[in-house]
Amino acid sequence: GENVEQHPSTLSVQEGDSAVIKCTYSDSASNYFPWYKQELGKRPQLIIDIRSNVGEKKDQRIAVTLNKTAKHFSLHITETQPEDSAVYFCAAITQGGSEKLVFGKGTKLTVNP
Amino acid sequence: EAGVAQSPRYKIIEKRQSVAFWCNPISGHATLYWYQQILGQGPKLLIQFQNNGVVDDSQLPKDRFSAERLKGVDSTLKIQPAKLEDSAVYLCASSPRGTTDTQYFGPGTRLTVL
């Protein structure tokens, strides 16, 4: 089945710096890659997603890149702010049998003022 | 638009007891998911319904977990009997059609098994 590896597990940056979180996946048939943000004690919320027919997608300070050949995708946050502090999860669709989302283990991002 | 509702928010039980969680998805959403999120890990899919039919339950421990979605709307997840390792947050999510639509999560139920 699908396996999603996420790195790093923790990331600390200064306010205004950029943050990059990387994920790799194993199922070459995967075609949908969402990123979720989960603040402490709250529900995961979708922040951006990308499908396999594009290589990059941007939404204000957030961008996601996808390299299908290497089977990895990354989340880029520019001009980080303290409110970006949260746990970020990447996920990929597994195509084996029924489609389902497989999540990475998460990256705890801390933005220091 | 109302979000995904779950209850209870917190539950503490002794091992070998039973517990049930309830989920009300966003109105009109065909697909409903139950995830288990153990502390420090990403959500893991337990079961996925399309309307009132099961699409995937391959990771549901069927000897102790059961779930149903009556009339294709609300859903309940039950654990009987509970084990210590079932301590986790149980998240319900829904999406308009299928897995590649945005999944909207509920607030979760935090279960502690003593």
Side-chain angles (χ1 to χ4, degrees), chain B residues 40-99:
Chain B
Q41 297 184 20
K44 183 182 86 171
L45 180 71
L46 293 176
I47 189 166
Q48 176 177 334
F49 294 94
Q50 183 83 16
N51 297 309
N52 61 350
V54 175
V55 174
D56 190 300
D57 62 357
S58 58
Q59 299 187 106
L60 186 73
K62 298 180 186 65
D63 57 334
R64 298 184 300 107
F65 286 64
S66 64
E68 60 182 5
R69 188 182 186 196
L70 297 176
K71 300 179 182 178
V73 182
D74 292 6
S75 178
T76 56
L77 176 69
K78 297 180 182 178
I79 308 175
Q80 182 179 11
K83 293 185 175 181
L84 297 177
E85 57 261 37
D86 298 332
S87 294
V89 175
Y90 291 85
L91 293 162
C92 179
S94 69
S95 64
R97 291 172 297 274
T99 313

Side-chain angles (χ1 to χ4, degrees), chain A residues 36 38 43 51 93 98 100, chain B residues 37 56 99-100 103 105-106:
Chain A
Y36 283 82
Q38 188 174 31
R43 70 191 76 189
R51 298 181 190 271
I93 284 279
S98 60
K100 58 175 174 264
Chain B
Q37 186 175 25
D56 190 300
T99 313
T100 55
Q103 294 187 25
F105 283 83

Side-chain angles (χ1 to χ4, degrees), chain A residues 1-4 90-94 100-104, chain B residues 35 43 59:
Chain A
E2 178 72 282
N3 186 41
V4 177
C90 64
I93 284 279
T94 178
K100 58 175 174 264
L101 269 185
V102 176
F103 286 80
Chain B
Y35 288 91
Q59 299 187 106

Side-chain angles (χ1 to χ4, degrees), chain B residues 6-11 21-22 88-91 107-111:
Chain B
Q6 288 186 248
S7 67
R9 293 295 313 278
Y10 306 92
K11 190 73 177 179
F21 313 127
W22 172 82
V89 175
Y90 291 85
L91 293 162
T109 297
R110 182 176 297 277
L111 174 66

